[in-house]
Amino acid sequence: MTKTPAPPKRLLIRTWGCQMNVYDSARMADVLAPLGYAPTEQVEEADMVILNTCHIREKATEKVFSDLGRLRDAKQARGGEMVIAVAGCVAQAEGAEITARAPWVDIVLGPQSYHRLPEMVARASRAAGAVIETDFPAEDKFDHLPEQAAPQGATAFLTVQEGCDKFCSFCVVPYTRGAEYSRPVAAILAEARRLVSLGAREVTLLGQNVNAFHGEGPDGGAWSLGRLIHALAGIEGLARIRYTTSHPRDMDDELIAAHRDIPALMPFLHLPVQSGSDRVLKMMNRGHTADDYLRLVDRLRAARPDLALSTDIIAGHPGESEADHEATLALIRAVGFAQAFSFKYSARPGTPAATMAGAVEEAAKDARLAEIQALLRDQQTAFNLSRAGMVADVLVTGPGRHPGQMAGRTPWLNPVHFDGPDSLAGRIVPVKIVAGHPNSLTGALAVPPHPDSRERNAA
Ligand code: SAH
Ligand code: SF4
Ligand code: F3S
């Protein structure tokens, strides 16, 4: 008699926070695949649930605890047969607090420990209490991770740098992700080649402070991000390179020149400024003035005239006055952003800003944020409308919302919808932009697809 194979175990991963968490979630799935875990979206059938969490603002952290409450019920419904793991930045920051508030959690692991997941799962099955790993292990987790298994489609993330030494007044990242670390160049190039061989046409280099990259090159010396991008641009079939998130202080000449010299480096840059007031920037410990930022933007636009910029803004940092807020609006007007994220300041335990004098009242924070967001929304809409009439190279990412429709991204990262066949997925095609909307564009294929048009996409 043949033995029926054991049913696969099901793994559900929920991800919050930044793109690095998205990358980490994919890698945790890779690490657990050899143990027989296949992905699921249904909590009822999950043998294991991982919450990959974000600590950046209070709201993000609170969501974890409300989700854990619901997971307790789901675990009970399965007679306790569910391994619950909390990973990511809340795990790092609040390790023991999590198991105290939610004793049904089996595993707590920080962002530097997920290569240890298989061993932790085994330990959790024997342990009475929770298994916790929130050290920053000296060994490099990247050396212990399997290769990326699943192609992420036409676009892929690749972590090149992790951690942050900047210690902005408001931010938990230096505490949750630890000190800056850059992966060696050879490992990055190998991973990029592999992603391309799996179908990626676009790679986004990730790092909390990606342009502080100083990974060891094959020559033994430290390579800058600009130099790394030059090397990546030489990979056959890699059509588009992006990087995020960068700090204005680390935008060096080599990186600016890369925007001029490397066509594959896409003309879109996320460059957080946080505030337009020199007083606030100083309190934030950002290490630059508003004018430094504006001059940097000028240099970038001189290098790549079609560069579109995106940013992050915080409304209501302690000590921020109405005049400071006006300075932020003035900076936004001076730059003209194509896209942006803006947030109400949220006090984070353990950060210097949390104990600073001059807390801004909630109502004032709300009003300032609303004003900032209205301005940024207008700028984004204006940018999208300005694309109308252009023919843009669009990387087709997959089907659109309606039958017969495909979706893709312009060089400036706008989502575009246009009519076209499924066979275009993964290709870069010229699309005439017909209309701009607040959050996306609609277009039409500029040349009808023809089998021979594969040429422009030849790897
Ligand atoms: N490394 C990036 C940002 C990482 S966090 C940088 O240096 O800019 C992403 C964004 O969250 C930040 O740019 C900031 O705008 C926002 N943020 C971080 N801490 C915050 C806090 N305590 N309150 C509100 N927004 C915050
Ligand atoms: Fe946080 Fe500042 Fe580091 Fe960005 S540079 S991760 S905002 S401390
Ligand atoms: Fe959040 Fe951690 Fe990323 S706090 S933004 S998940 S680095």
Side-chain angles (χ1 to χ4, degrees), residues 391-394 428-432 444-447 456:
V391 175
D393 276 341
V394 169
I428 295 171
V429 294
V431 171
K432 170 113 179 179
L445 273 175
V447 284
R456 70 184 281 122

Side-chain angles (χ1 to χ4, degrees), residues 189-206:
L189 293 177
E191 190 167 333
R193 281 193 205 97
R194 202 179 132 74
L195 289 168
V196 170
S197 75
L198 293 170
R201 307 297 320 279
E202 172 181 298
V203 167
T204 302
L205 309 176
L206 296 182

Side-chain angles (χ1 to χ4, degrees), residues 56-57 170 208 272 274 286 312 314 343-344 346 348:
I56 203 82
R57 284 168 291 274
F170 50 83
Q208 264 91 27
Q274 316 297 357
R286 290 290 289 179
D312 290 344
I314 295 179
F343 313 98
K344 208 157 61 155
S346 168
R348 308 308 292 129

Side-chain angles (χ1 to χ4, degrees), residues 75-364:
K75 185 172 180 163
Q76 265 167 9
R78 288 176 54 93
E81 292 298 309
M82 180 189 280
V83 180
I84 299 178
V86 181
C89 291
V90 176
Q92 187 63 46
E94 310 216 338
E97 163 91 14
I98 294 171
T99 51
R101 277 176 73 176
W104 55 95
V105 168
D106 303 284
I107 293 173
V108 176
L109 76 161
Q112 307 308 331
S113 310
Y114 57 75
H115 56 298
R116 300 197 179 164
L117 256 175
E119 168 215 333
M120 295 177 77
V121 172
R123 267 162 60 204
S125 68
R126 299 190 300 266
V131 177
I132 304 181
E133 287 274 1
T134 51
D135 303 342
F136 292 115
E139 84 229 57
D140 169 21
K141 78 173 171 199
F142 291 104
D143 289 344
H144 291 80
L145 287 170
E147 288 182 323
Q148 284 203 45
Q152 298 158 312
T155 63
F157 291 137
L158 202 178
T159 294
V160 301
Q161 182 277 341
E162 217 178 318
C164 181
D165 297 341
K166 295 280 191 303
F167 291 93
C168 299
S169 61
F170 50 83
C171 182
V172 293
V173 170
Y175 312 97
T176 62
R177 293 276 173 167
E180 264 174 25
Y181 166 80
S182 298
R183 293 177 69 189
V185 169
I188 296 165
L189 293 177
E191 190 167 333
R193 281 193 205 97
R194 202 179 132 74
L195 289 168
V196 170
S197 75
L198 293 170
R201 307 297 320 279
E202 172 181 298
V203 167
T204 302
L205 309 176
L206 296 182
Q208 264 91 27
N209 229 300
V210 71
N211 57 344
F213 178 82
H214 56 274
E216 191 192 312
D219 49 3
W223 280 32
S224 68
L225 187 68
R227 194 160 173 203
L228 176 69
I229 291 170
H230 264 286
L232 287 162
I235 295 178
E236 286 247 312
L238 181 51
R240 293 182 162 193
I241 302 168
R242 304 179 185 275
Y243 62 93
T244 198
T245 298
S246 38
H247 194 293
R249 247 155 76 195
D250 293 320
M251 251 8 256
D252 64 13
D253 294 345
E254 210 172 2
L255 188 53
I256 295 172
H259 281 279
R260 181 191 61 211
D261 299 333
I262 305 177
L265 183 56
M266 288 292 101
F268 179 92
L269 178 63
H270 183 61
L271 192 62
V273 67
Q274 316 297 357
S275 168
S277 152
D278 289 347
R279 270 187 69 239
V280 175
L281 286 167
K282 197 164 173 96
M283 288 190 285
M284 286 178 163
N285 192 31
R286 290 290 289 179
H288 65 83
T289 63
D291 190 54
D292 291 336
Y293 187 88
L294 293 174
R295 278 185 294 138
L296 178 57
V297 166
D298 286 344
R299 289 179 63 207
L300 282 159
R301 283 179 168 157
R304 181 89 199 226
D306 64 340
L307 187 77
L309 284 150
S310 152
T311 200
D312 290 344
I313 304 279
I314 295 179
H317 184 276
E320 186 189 79
S321 66
E322 269 309 315
D324 295 321
H325 167 63
E326 289 299 328
T328 297
L329 295 172
L331 179 137
I332 296 171
R333 282 189 206 103
V335 175
F337 290 102
Q339 199 201 303
F341 301 96
S342 47
F343 313 98
K344 208 157 61 155
Y345 168 75
S346 168
R348 308 308 292 129
T351 60
T355 50
M356 275 182 195
V360 178
E361 296 219 353
E362 219 44 37

